[in-house]
Amino acid sequence: MTKSLSLTLILATLITLSACAELKETGRIIGDTTKEVTTEIGHATRDTTKAIGHASRDAVKSVNDDLSKKD
């Protein structure tokens, strides 16, 4: 009876450790993927904002040039 209980405890411990390792790896994969996605979103947002800023600047410059030519 004691031998069976010890074997059961050892087996349960090994299964638990294996499950913990898999959960840890899964968490790491999710974390890395989340980091990559948020980085890509941040870069895309930065690039879009930069493009809008440049387009706005060019539009204002164009209007100013047109107004200067009329004078």
Side-chain angles (χ1 to χ4, degrees), residues 17-67:
L17 288 175
S18 175
C20 287
E22 286 186 33
L23 282 174
K24 185 176 180 180
E25 181 63 23
T26 301
R28 183 176 292 121
I29 290 169
I30 291 170
D32 289 344
T33 303
T34 302
K35 180 182 175 187
E36 290 172 15
V37 168
T38 53
T39 299
E40 288 300 317
I41 290 170
H43 288 175
T45 303
R46 177 199 62 204
D47 294 343
T48 302
T49 304
K50 195 178 205 181
I52 291 170
H54 287 249
S56 298
R57 178 196 63 207
D58 294 344
V60 169
K61 187 176 179 182
S62 176
V63 169
N64 283 338
D65 290 344
D66 288 346
L67 292 174

